[in-house]
Amino acid sequence: MSTLLPGLAHAWWQPDWAYRKPLTVDGGPQAGAIGGDAGRTPVLVRLHTGNFSFQGVNETGADLRFVAGDDKTVLNHQIEQFDPLLGMALIWVDVPAVGAGAPQKLWMYYGNPKAPASGNGQRTYDPDYTLVYHFAEANVPPRDTTAYGNHGQSAVVSLDGTVIGKGAQLGRDALMLPASPSLAQKAGAPFTFSAWIKPEQLGAQQVVYARRDGASELVIGVDQGVPFVRINGQRSAPGQPIQAGQWAYLALKSDGQNATLFVGGRPTVSLAAAMPALASAASIGADAAAAATPAGQAAVPALAAFTGAIDEVRLSKVARPDALLLADAVSQGAESRLAVFGADEQQAGKSHFGFILAAMPLDAWIVVALLGLMMVLSWAIMIGKGRSYGAASRANAAFIGLFRETAGAPLDRLAVSNAVSEQVKADSSLWRLYEVAVDEMRRRHDRGYDLNSVSASTIGAIRAAMDGVMVRENERMSKRMNWLSTTIEGAPYVGLFGTVIGIMLVFVVAAMAGAVDINSVAPGMAAALLCTAAGLGVAIPALFGYNWLASRSDAIGADMAVFVDEFVTRLAEEQGEGRSLPQAAPARSARRAGIDADAGWTSAPGHVAA
């Protein structure tokens, strides 16, 4: 049955998905221009009415699947936003390797209303991401997408229309992060921070990210539009500025000994400072840790709060490659140059079996048609025989029960009474054996034989008549069974004949065309092998059916043989000339003398012994 399941042309991933859309990830100079290998990268896929119609897709996006170019490897993804009414969707796809070399094609499949949701952010981001905030929830503490569960400790004001869907509005209060073990920073350990920020107005020393633990500190901020990083009192030199009212991608990468500040995915300034050990809670948008300096310690001047919007905050416990940060900058912005969409494709709907049939030549069709005729006839015989044997078995069981109930009564009691139904008489082979035996006895009675003393030769003659009927019943049951045996033995050879002819033609045509590659011979080979498969498909059910029917026929034959013995034995006991009669009262003798009258044949003086 697996050959009948749909399988698609052009390596269609799975038949249950009706549509797919090609997606090309290109980090080359003419596209993303990331300048190196970014490695495993969560690529943002933006769907809108300009590149996607939202027709045929589940209203929640549950049927979306992203498959690698081999059309076999399913990629992890996370849906941040999916709104077909507005015609907008934001999906993060875990691409195993993004580089500046050759473009790689991915497939986005959709159009399966029964598909369960499979998006999972915990699998979309590699384990080195310790915190990822999309800010997709409205006016609540942000939720961490990673498996670490470093959810925000304070609510934020949700903001629509940011660089990636929803974002957060920052002002006076800080967004506090948990002081969890997964966020703990060891001395000299690598670290990466990235976020999209949009300052409303440029001010002095505005804090974007701050973390203080005793005398140790790490501060990322903006001073009059110039991003800076400060580690344990050392501050970076001025670098590339950002503009008020515009979104900017800001990132900090440290290998543990040197920190580099990135703006727009490109390095702008470096600071030779080792990362300190930090285990306290960090804050975003304000310097909350400085305001809560413990008693007895020198007060740290609190920096100004960042006024503006923020989106897509990420923390990593590794130093991310420069190419990855650039890929994030060019793919997450409104005008992504890393991912390019192609035209949607609809599944042709043809199964593997359909493609094989399309490649079959005329000789293969003749063989398959012959095998189809053999299959129809064999199935008709098996169904007819099965119903006939079932009816005979039920009728024989009913008749033998009635026959044994009449033990002690005249043997022809069932023949002269209405105890046996017409259905049983029509279907029961035992009734036909019984009927011929009773007819033999009646004919002898009509010729004047004394049936109260049946001779051994007469019993033998009656048995022979019953044996003759039993032979004819066995012949009737075995009628057309030889066709099944012919199908069992002949169908595989017929199929093999078609396969041999088909393979011969495949190689001849390939040689004449000068094409010997797998694509030129594979369809014809598959069509040729279909003949053998068809032959086995005809023979195997016929074999099983033949064995089953033969066992039922043997059972019915055994029942007839047992009945013949039982009838003859009862005839010899009750009416044989060698039987012994017990002493009986005159009334009982008179009753015994009237047996023949009840049975339809009467003993009279002068009758000879049977």
Side-chain angles (χ1 to χ4, degrees), residues 345-386:
E345 299 179 8
Q346 184 173 1
Q347 179 191 154
K350 184 181 288 186
S351 66
H352 294 303
F353 194 69
F355 282 104
I356 295 175
L357 292 178
M360 288 177 57
L362 177 61
D363 59 302
W365 278 113
I366 294 175
V367 171
V368 170
L370 178 60
L371 291 172
L373 178 62
M374 295 175 68
M375 182 187 68
V376 170
L377 293 177
S378 63
W379 276 88
I381 292 171
M382 289 188 291
I383 293 173
K385 288 291 183 181

Side-chain angles (χ1 to χ4, degrees), residues 112-159:
N112 180 6
K114 298 180 180 180
S118 65
N120 191 322
Q122 296 182 5
R123 295 197 299 264
T124 303
Y125 296 87
D126 65 60
D128 290 330
Y129 283 104
T130 55
L131 181 148
V132 175
Y133 287 168
H134 296 314
F135 299 102
E137 305 82 12
N139 303 318
V140 296
R143 295 189 60 81
D144 179 20
T145 292
T146 71
Y148 297 104
N150 291 314
H151 308 306
Q153 303 300 295
S154 53
V156 296
V157 178
S158 182
L159 186 65

Side-chain angles (χ1 to χ4, degrees), residues 210-406:
R211 191 172 190 181
R212 303 180 188 275
D213 192 352
S216 302
E217 69 167 357
L218 169 63
V219 178
I220 304 171
V222 180
D223 188 2
Q224 300 297 339
V226 178
F228 71 89
V229 56
R230 192 170 76 187
I231 300 176
N232 291 345
Q234 299 183 56
R235 177 169 165 167
S236 61
Q240 180 182 344
I242 61 176
Q243 303 298 318
Q246 296 183 8
W247 285 100
Y249 180 78
L250 181 64
L252 173 71
K253 182 185 79 169
S254 173
D255 60 4
Q257 302 302 319
N258 296 280
T260 303
L261 204 60
F262 290 74
V263 175
R266 302 186 183 279
T268 61
V269 66
S270 296
L271 178 64
M275 286 294 295
L278 300 169
S280 60
S283 62
I284 293 178
D287 198 1
T293 302
Q297 294 186 9
V300 178
L303 304 182
F306 177 82
T307 302
I310 193 169
D311 195 5
E312 197 60 29
V313 174
R314 296 181 184 178
L315 299 180
S316 298
K317 58 183 179 180
V318 296
R320 295 292 177 180
D322 293 2
L324 175 73
L325 298 177
L326 183 56
D328 287 345
V330 300
S331 67
Q332 297 173 11
E335 299 296 332
S336 175
R337 302 185 303 274
L338 185 65
V340 180
F341 292 97
D344 294 64
E345 299 179 8
Q346 184 173 1
Q347 179 191 154
K350 184 181 288 186
S351 66
H352 294 303
F353 194 69
F355 282 104
I356 295 175
L357 292 178
M360 288 177 57
L362 177 61
D363 59 302
W365 278 113
I366 294 175
V367 171
V368 170
L370 178 60
L371 291 172
L373 178 62
M374 295 175 68
M375 182 187 68
V376 170
L377 293 177
S378 63
W379 276 88
I381 292 171
M382 289 188 291
I383 293 173
K385 288 291 183 181
R387 297 178 62 181
S388 174
Y389 290 175
S393 296
R394 291 189 296 270
N396 286 344
F399 174 79
I400 198 66
L402 295 174
F403 179 78
R404 288 171 180 168
E405 287 176 1
T406 61

Side-chain angles (χ1 to χ4, degrees), residues 2 57 69 88 94 106 134 181 194 206 262 300 304 320-321 346 360 442 463 468 494 544 554 570 577 592:
S2 64
V57 67
M88 178 181 176
D94 181 16
L106 312 178
H134 296 314
S194 65
Q206 296 177 328
F262 290 74
V300 178
R320 295 292 177 180
Q346 184 173 1
M360 288 177 57
R442 282 178 175 171
R463 183 186 187 97
V494 173
F544 293 161
D554 291 341
R570 183 171 164 184
E577 62 182 358
R592 180 59 188 166

